[in-house]
Amino acid sequence: MSKIQMTTPLVEMDGDEMTRILWKMIKEELLLPFIDLKTEYYDLGLEHRNETNDQVTFDSAEATKKYGVAVKCATITPNAARMDEYNLKEMWKSPNGTIRAILDGTVFRAPITVKGIEPTVSKWKKPITIARHAYGDVYKGVEIKVPGAGKAELVFTGEDGTQIRETIHDFDGPGVIQGMHNIDKSIESFARSCFTYALDTKQDLWFATKDTISKKYDHTFKDIFQEIYDAEYAAKFEAAGIEYFYTLIDDAVARVMKSEGGFIWACKNYDGDVMSDMISSAFGSLAMMTSVLVSPKGYYEYEAAHGTVQRHYYKYLKGEETSTNSVATIFAWTGALRKRGEIDGNKELMEFADKLEKATLDTIESGTMTKDLALITTLENVNAVNSEGFIKAIAERLK
Ligand code: NAP
Ligand code: MG
């Protein structure tokens, strides 16, 4: 059998713990036998990040700008315990945060739906994709615990010294205040990433805020989306037969519950934090979610939505059997391969991505799955397999 050829490399970002083990199995069993795989390899495993003073993370993000498409394995974000465990020189920052800052992107998360894993909301027939704005608002808020009576004011001082001043509240006793901000440029990037991704995936785009109450703050989000849509995307949306629609956040929540799915829901930072957990748990599990970072310039980084599955890794190290779900990591690869194929006009590569996804879903639908899914499936006669057994079963089907 001749292997599928690639013309441009993918940026490959290896990672940590159990997902690093799955990464290797996926390449050996599901990719290398079928594709003459071209990648530019960056080892984002914590040991190598530490050796390179995290330079490797920056280099991998720059490479993504050069080639356009990356695939990333889950990585450890160090905390105090990891400092000791890996004898780190510094508490290196989250690689996802570093890469997102360099690519200026938005993360889109969508459930991978399969027969036998039914959403809690029975009306949902298609995936709901959440796009979360990842800058500012309450996440960069400044807060004061007001000790007692007094006046709280909001003051902006321009570079020329002119001031804008608003009274927040005249306190007659203790309370709390909070100042938060966002930046037009960041909201513009968010909007462009959302419009680009909607066109890419041919799905309607919903956006919602509370602009009736927040007449300047949230209204700015609404206006920026609308201006960019009208100027740059309206004609393209029409040609693609998709719709952009804005509504109030409470109306959006009600509509989402009554919808059939199949659209992108763009959310402000806090809304996205909360709603993505609701959507992922209502659809099944984090191990059945795709996640892609899309930059407003059209660079793509595909990953799994879950972490490095540390608990399973420690069992693996002790030689115990694990049953870790590799679906999200497999879909990170298929997402990246399909996008690479699309950009390069490589039809064979795109078809391979489709086939690998189908083989993965068919394997589950036939009853062979990892333990996490076996616990929640509505299928009968389930064959719960270990990490390797699942990947091998997919490989059999793919052949
Ligand atoms: P996690 O890796 O998401 O796993 C938490 C638990 O969820 C697991 O113990 C397991 O439950 C279940 N789970 C998650 N993914 C699974 C899969 N593929 N198959 C089966 N079960 C799965 O989170 P964590 O263990 O708390 O975090 C480990 C490391 O991941 C941390 O160092 C964190 O910094 C990092 N992290 C990285 C990313 C990223 O790179 N994108 C994202 C989040 C976290 P059971 O143990 O009950 O089986
Ligand atoms: Mg959350």
Side-chain angles (χ1 to χ4, degrees):
M1 190 175 66
S2 69
K3 291 190 189 181
I4 298 166
Q5 296 299 310
M6 292 176 67
T7 47
T8 320
L10 279 178
V11 177
E12 176 184 353
M13 303 170 175
D14 207 345
D16 288 299
E17 299 195 311
M18 200 58 211
T19 41
R20 188 179 180 99
I21 308 293
L22 297 178
W23 194 261
K24 189 159 174 280
M25 289 183 196
I26 291 168
K27 280 176 70 178
E28 281 170 6
E29 299 284 339
L30 302 178
L31 303 176
L32 293 171
F34 308 96
I35 307 175
D36 198 1
L37 193 67
K38 271 202 177 74
T39 72
E40 195 163 290
Y41 180 83
Y42 292 85
D43 183 1
L44 266 56
L46 187 51
E47 276 170 31
H48 193 240
R49 273 183 277 150
N50 192 50
E51 278 164 26
T52 62
N53 297 327
D54 208 23
Q55 186 60 41
V56 64
T57 307
F58 290 83
D59 292 346
S60 71
E62 289 304 328
T64 306
K65 283 186 173 171
K66 180 172 165 196
Y67 293 111
V69 187
V71 56
K72 180 180 171 293
C73 181
T75 46
I76 293 170
T77 298
N79 55 15
R82 301 293 199 171
M83 293 288 289
D84 294 338
E85 187 184 350
Y86 285 84
N87 198 9
L88 299 180
K89 296 186 239 178
E90 249 182 64
M91 202 184 285
W92 307 111
K93 289 202 177 126
S94 148
N96 290 335
T98 301
I99 294 165
R100 192 159 60 210
I102 294 171
L103 300 182
D104 185 23
T106 298
V107 175
F108 295 83
R109 290 198 162 171
I112 299 162
T113 50
V114 58
K115 222 182 293 154
I117 311 292
E118 305 303 331
T120 318
V121 180
S122 55
K123 274 208 71 143
W124 291 350
K125 301 289 175 228
K126 294 181 219 157
I128 295 170
T129 304
I130 294 269
R132 173 183 171 188
H133 185 212
Y135 179 84
D137 302 350
V138 71
Y139 300 85
K140 287 213 183 280
V142 178
E143 308 183 326
I144 297 176
K145 221 168 141 46
V146 173
K151 188 188 191 64
E153 290 181 295
L154 199 56
V155 183
F156 169 79
T157 310
E159 277 182 335
D160 64 356
T162 39
Q163 289 196 330
I164 308 173
R165 190 176 286 265
E166 286 282 343
T167 299
I168 297 170
H169 191 64
D170 286 309
F171 285 89
D172 54 16
V176 282
I177 52 177
Q178 179 184 61
M180 58 185 197
H181 78 279
N182 221 298
I183 299 168
D184 283 7
K185 198 165 163 278
S186 173
I187 304 168
E188 286 161 14
S189 291
F190 176 49
R192 287 198 176 90
S193 295
C194 290
F195 291 130
T196 304
Y197 195 68
L199 283 168
D200 239 37
T201 58
K202 292 219 168 20
Q203 295 186 88
D204 289 345
L205 176 68
W206 299 18
F207 182 46
T209 73
K210 194 71 182 175
D211 66 287
T212 45
I213 300 297
S214 174
K215 292 191 169 63
K216 289 195 176 124
Y217 200 105
D218 279 16
H219 215 289
T220 299
F221 279 78
K222 177 185 177 181
D223 289 345
I224 286 177
F225 264 71
Q226 197 62 50
E227 280 157 23
I228 291 179
Y229 177 73
D230 291 341
E232 301 170 29
Y233 293 95
K236 291 180 193 160
F237 268 54
E238 200 172 322
I242 57 172
E243 190 189 4
Y244 165 61
F245 119 94
Y246 176 88
T247 185
L248 283 170
I249 185 76
D250 30 3
D251 179 49
V253 169
R255 284 176 188 245
V256 165
M257 285 302 165
K258 291 187 208 147
S259 77
E260 294 207 329
F263 55 89
I264 301 164
W265 183 8
C267 292
K268 286 179 64 201
N269 210 350
Y270 175 83
D271 300 337
D273 184 349
V274 176
M275 294 307 168
S276 63
D277 280 3
M278 183 191 76
I279 297 285
S280 64
S281 56
F283 268 104
S285 88
L286 267 192
M288 296 294 284
M289 291 278 280
T290 62
S291 182
V292 55
L293 175 76
V294 180
S295 90
K297 295 215 173 94
Y299 311 127
Y300 295 79
E301 184 237 297
Y302 293 83
E303 57 172 5
H306 59 77
T308 59
V309 212
Q310 181 180 21
R311 207 178 64 80
H312 295 207
Y313 181 58
Y314 288 157
K315 277 175 72 180
Y316 171 87
L317 287 183
K318 281 195 262 170
E320 291 172 29
E321 185 167 86
T322 60
S323 182
T324 316
N325 187 335
S326 46
V327 172
T329 306
I330 294 170
F331 274 63
W333 275 100
T334 53
L337 290 168
R338 184 183 295 107
K339 179 54 74 179
R340 187 71 270 164
E342 194 184 305
I343 295 173
D344 295 348
N346 187 340
K347 215 166 144 246
E348 262 193 307
L349 199 58
M350 293 170 73
E351 283 169 1
F352 174 78
D354 293 343
K355 284 180 192 155
L356 176 48
E357 287 182 359
K358 186 168 186 314
T360 304
L361 299 180
D362 286 352
T363 300
I364 298 171
E365 288 179 358
S366 77
T368 298
M369 60 190 79
T370 45
K371 273 190 191 149
D372 57 316
L373 297 184
L375 284 172
I376 58 172
T377 185
T378 54
L379 296 178
E380 284 160 26
N381 304 321
V382 169
N383 172 26
V385 290
N386 63 27
S387 309
E388 198 177 6
F390 181 63
I391 290 171
K392 289 216 153 123
I394 299 170
E396 275 310 306
R397 215 166 257 277
L398 194 57
K399 275 176 199 149

